[in-house]
Amino acid sequence: MKPVRFVGSTRDDLAAFPVAVRARAGHELFMVQVGRDPENWKPMSSVGPGTCEIRVRDPSGAYRVIYVAKFVDAVYVLHAFQKKTQKTARADLDLAMQRYRIARELAEGVKHG
């Protein structure tokens, strides 16, 4: 089972989700850790190769967890946020892309270190 590594503030962001959403997102991340697909997800190749988005809907709104599992050493959680509009905001995509670069550097450091 791959460990989960949180990039930037994602651990705190995920912890701020409502309890039921946090539990669902945690279960979905566990599925990714053991090599399975989450229940509700989609690829997010615009963020970076191998990046996916877990989608959780709750009476309080729509929540997203963007992660990448293609690196050998870990599942990297890049961004966790509540979605406010139909289309993912540019700022959310930009932040996920920035954190993807950090995750790639971390993964390569482990591989070459």
Side-chain angles (χ1 to χ4, degrees):
M1 178 167 67
K2 284 186 181 182
V4 171
R5 296 210 171 127
F6 295 91
V7 182
S9 63
T10 55
R11 182 187 299 266
D12 292 336
D13 298 339
L14 193 57
F17 283 5
V19 174
V21 173
R22 192 169 62 235
R24 170 51 63 204
H27 173 75
E28 300 297 352
L29 282 171
F30 173 76
M31 298 309 281
V32 173
Q33 281 183 277
V34 298
R36 296 179 57 190
D37 286 334
E39 187 175 301
N40 188 352
W41 68 281
K42 74 173 191 173
M44 294 288 288
S45 57
S46 63
V47 171
T51 304
C52 298
E53 174 184 74
I54 294 170
R55 302 182 291 190
V56 179
R57 184 159 275 293
D58 182 74
S60 64
Y63 296 84
R64 301 293 185 259
V65 178
I66 299 176
Y67 70 92
V68 60
K70 78 170 197 150
F71 301 122
V72 175
D73 66 311
V75 174
Y76 289 89
V77 181
L78 306 176
H79 192 24
F81 61 100
Q82 182 174 8
K83 198 165 176 186
K84 303 286 187 180
T85 61
Q86 188 72 19
K87 187 175 180 186
T88 302
R90 182 84 240 162
D92 289 313
L93 293 173
D94 289 346
L95 181 58
M97 283 187 263
Q98 177 186 358
R99 289 176 175 173
Y100 181 93
R101 289 189 292 276
I102 292 167
R104 186 179 61 219
E105 289 172 7
L106 291 169
E108 289 171 354
V110 169
K111 189 169 63 178
H112 298 105

